[in-house]
């Protein structure tokens, strides 16, 4: 498994996405397609980006009854993405069903990672709205353990938590970490941030970077800087 930079293509249309990707010319960065772009353009956008030679993380965060998730994952497996995800809150049974659905007849499948608690959920809200009366980091680590038990490949977490997750679940359990910012860059609405170099030191396997690249004056240079700090 290689460490890599994943660009969050948070665009509202195929046109804007291709306008952005065309800037990379010969380079083929690993890209994340989220709900906005997928719901706007459908599976065609996945096929088109794949055809252009990019690796794809399809970030749709599935969460439903096990049978429904299994069947949805089976559909996604035909899209030939490299990584996809679900909510660990759907239970171990749902995650096991997801693996079953995602696995192709030849035994291969995309990487499957779990979202634990969304970073937008505060401990206070988790207690009042979800009635979970445990410290949030304990909940995140518990969900990580459930994901591992279900046979998933890793979790989405803050780069600050990546070391702890590896300590508890093993070095080969993948940590995919958003919330990355350059030391001299804008933090925006992210609260707990880390530079690509720090994320590398702590042991993130993949960093998901959106605006520091997509909103940069020179996105290709920003991507290359990210790769140099995180991989190089
Ligand atoms: O622009 P920025 O670098 O903040 O983008 C981060 C990406 O990672 C966005 O697509 C955002 O939805 C996603 N993400 C996140 N925090 C999470 C899970 C996903 O920022 N906990």
């Amino acid at each position: 498994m290689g460490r890599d930079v994943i660009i969050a293509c948070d665009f509202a249309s195929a046109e804007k996405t291709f306008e952005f990707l065309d800037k990379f010319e010969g380079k083929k960065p690993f890209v994340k397609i989220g709900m906005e772009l997928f719901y706007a353009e459908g599976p065609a956008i996945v096929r088109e980006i794949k055809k252009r030679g990019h690796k794809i993380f399809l970030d749709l965060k599935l969460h439903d009854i096990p049978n429904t998730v299994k069947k949805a994952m089976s559909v996604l497996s035909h899209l030939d993405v490299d990584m996809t995800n679900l909510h660990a809150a759907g239970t171990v049974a749902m995650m096991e069903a997801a693996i079953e659905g995602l696995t192709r007849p030849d035994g291969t499948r995309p990487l499957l990672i779990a979202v634990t608690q969304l970073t937008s959920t505060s401990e206070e809200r988790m207690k009042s709205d979800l009635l979970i009366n445990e410290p949030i980091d304990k909940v995140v680590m518990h969900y990580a353990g459930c994901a591992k038990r279900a046979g998933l490949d890793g979790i989405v977490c803050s780069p600050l938590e990546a070391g702890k997750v590896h300590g508890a679940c093993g070095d080969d359990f993948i940590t995919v970490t958003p919330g990355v910012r350059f030391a001299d860059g804008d933090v925006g609405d992210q609260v707990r941030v880390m530079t690509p170099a720090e994320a590398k030191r702590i042991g993130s396997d993949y960093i998901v970077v959106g605006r520091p690249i997509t909103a940069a004056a020179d996105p290709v240079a920003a991507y290359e800087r990210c790769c140099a700090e995180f991989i190089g």
Side-chain angles (χ1 to χ4, degrees):
M1 172 199 43
R3 193 183 300 133
D4 211 348
V5 173
I6 303 177
I7 304 179
C9 284
D10 293 325
F11 300 108
S13 70
E15 196 190 344
K16 289 209 170 73
T17 306
F18 293 131
E19 193 185 305
F20 171 76
L21 291 177
D22 284 346
K23 296 187 169 96
F24 287 82
E25 293 175 345
K27 292 183 198 70
K28 302 290 175 192
F30 200 140
V31 301
K32 178 172 90 82
I33 299 174
M35 290 184 205
E36 183 187 13
L37 186 56
F38 189 78
Y39 292 149
E41 301 289 350
I45 186 80
V46 176
R47 293 195 191 95
E48 185 56 36
I49 294 178
K50 193 76 201 171
K51 207 162 79 190
R52 288 175 171 228
H54 297 267
K55 285 189 174 174
I56 297 176
F57 168 22
L58 189 57
D59 178 19
L60 298 181
K61 301 187 178 69
L62 274 68
H63 188 175
D64 208 317
I65 60 170
N67 188 51
T68 300
V69 169
K70 178 179 163 180
K71 289 195 284 188
M73 285 293 183
S74 171
V75 174
L76 296 186
S77 78
H78 296 299
L79 283 179
D80 197 24
V81 296
D82 299 276
M83 183 187 289
T84 191
N85 62 359
L86 46 63
H87 274 282
T91 75
V92 170
M94 188 203 77
M95 291 191 271
E96 286 171 345
I99 295 258
E100 229 184 293
L102 201 58
T103 306
R104 304 181 188 104
D106 66 359
T108 63
R109 64 167 172 79
L111 291 171
L112 184 60
I113 58 167
V115 174
T116 55
Q117 281 294 338
L118 292 169
T119 44
S120 52
T121 307
S122 66
E123 188 163 297
E124 193 184 22
R125 284 287 176 192
M126 194 185 68
K127 286 188 175 149
S128 66
D129 298 3
L130 308 181
L131 220 58
I132 298 174
N133 285 302
E134 295 284 353
I136 198 156
D137 41 342
K138 189 173 168 193
V139 176
V140 168
M141 292 307 295
H142 176 70
Y143 281 10
C146 289
K148 189 175 164 70
R149 192 145 49 90
L152 268 70
D153 303 293
I155 63 162
V156 182
C157 62
S158 144
L160 298 156
E161 290 157 354
K164 210 169 152 193
V165 172
H166 280 144
C169 298
D171 280 342
D172 56 353
F173 194 66
I174 297 169
T175 52
V176 179
T177 62
V180 173
R181 292 293 179 266
F182 291 120
D184 52 1
D186 242 3
V187 170
D189 56 357
Q190 295 283 13
V191 180
R192 298 160 71 210
V193 298
M194 200 174 258
T195 66
E198 285 166 339
K200 175 185 181 179
R201 191 168 40 74
I202 286 195
S204 294
D205 297 296
Y206 294 89
I207 51 174
V208 176
V209 188
R211 289 158 294 179
I213 295 174
T214 56
D218 184 345
V220 179
Y223 171 70
E224 281 171 351
R225 178 179 172 191
C226 233
C227 292
E229 282 192 28
F230 185 63
I231 307 167

